Amino acid sequence: MGNSSSTLPALKTVASCDTTRFMGTWFVVGVKPTLLETTCSNAVEKYTLLEEGKSHDIDIDFKYNPEEDPSDEKNKVKALPQKGWVQGDNRLQSGDWKVSPCWPIKMTYPIIELDEKGYSYAVIGYPSRAYCWILSRSPVMDEGLYKNIEKKLVENHQYDLEGLRKVPQKWTSEERAKRGLTADELPDSFLIN
């Protein structure tokens, strides 16, 4: 998207990422989208760490509505289960991952920003800067924090923000139940009815 990965420096992953703390539910609140995400809404990823010795380290359950209005009955939930591999010597302490949406594709998945204290937000980059994902533990991110993340994407990671979109997160109790989310993962205070 205007940037050539050959002229860009390598993305720097976060200095520390506790894989166990990263596990759980994340709402995709912002995205430089892949083709599947250009109009998506209610995008949620659930990360599950597997026992050591499995063929991969992490199961990623990615579900979303393909269109912007999640309340439209024609906008059915789609799922794209993925596999993840933690790179480096310690699978419990690395921000450098690889992810496969389908065999034989295995993409880099660098965690480039992370709330290392509370694990309330994370940003996943992509070497060419064509894609990125802004993740939050809640479906709503503070606007000041979101703007700060945008600034870091530009200043620290050489991103062009063209194409970055906020992902609509509009939840009802029915949608929450349909997705199998608990009230702990998606509290009632975030529901629109």
Side-chain angles (χ1 to χ4, degrees):
M1 306 222 161
N3 290 334
S4 167
S5 59
S6 64
T7 62
L8 292 168
L11 285 171
K12 291 184 181 176
T13 61
V14 293
S16 175
C17 178
D18 180 332
T19 306
T20 303
R21 288 186 69 197
F22 196 93
M23 297 301 101
T25 301
W26 291 93
F27 296 87
V28 183
V29 296
V31 66
K32 274 193 88 162
T34 64
L35 288 175
L36 298 175
E37 301 164 308
T38 57
T39 59
C40 73
S41 60
N42 285 7
V44 178
E45 296 181 344
K46 283 188 176 185
Y47 293 78
T48 304
L49 184 63
L50 304 176
E51 295 174 19
E52 204 162 340
K54 299 286 185 184
S55 64
H56 58 286
D57 298 312
I58 300 165
D59 277 337
I60 305 167
D61 180 27
F62 175 48
K63 292 183 181 171
Y64 63 98
N65 295 91
E67 301 300 327
E68 288 197 10
D69 183 3
S71 62
D72 182 348
E73 289 187 18
K74 295 176 189 165
N75 193 9
K76 303 290 185 198
V77 175
K78 301 279 185 180
L80 182 61
Q82 300 174 68
K83 296 177 180 180
W85 294 264
V86 181
Q87 305 299 289
D89 296 332
N90 185 350
R91 75 188 278 267
L92 297 179
Q93 195 61 247
S94 176
D96 185 18
W97 297 5
K98 290 192 182 279
V99 168
S100 175
C102 60
W103 187 87
I105 298 168
K106 198 184 271 190
M107 304 176 347
T108 62
Y109 199 78
I111 302 168
I112 60 174
E113 294 290 334
L114 177 65
D115 169 15
E116 292 183 25
K117 186 176 180 183
Y119 283 64
S120 65
Y121 71 85
V123 180
I124 311 303
Y126 194 74
S128 70
R129 282 43 168 206
Y131 313 112
C132 76
W133 297 267
I134 301 173
L135 310 178
S136 174
R137 292 292 190 185
S138 75
V140 176
M141 179 178 275
D142 174 77
E143 187 63 22
L145 175 58
Y146 191 89
K147 290 291 183 196
N148 189 43
I149 289 171
E150 286 182 327
K151 183 178 179 183
K152 287 179 180 181
L153 281 168
V154 172
E155 294 178 1
N156 299 351
H157 305 289
Q158 298 76 43
Y159 264 87
D160 171 349
L161 298 182
E162 183 179 344
L164 181 69
R165 67 181 284 268
K166 287 187 176 180
V167 177
Q169 295 282 347
K170 300 175 184 170
W171 292 91
T172 63
S173 56
E174 293 82 17
E175 184 75 11
R176 177 176 67 186
K178 186 170 36 172
R179 298 286 193 92
L181 294 170
T182 68
D184 288 337
E185 294 169 306
L186 182 58
D188 290 348
S189 59
F190 292 109
L191 302 179
I192 56 175
N193 68 347

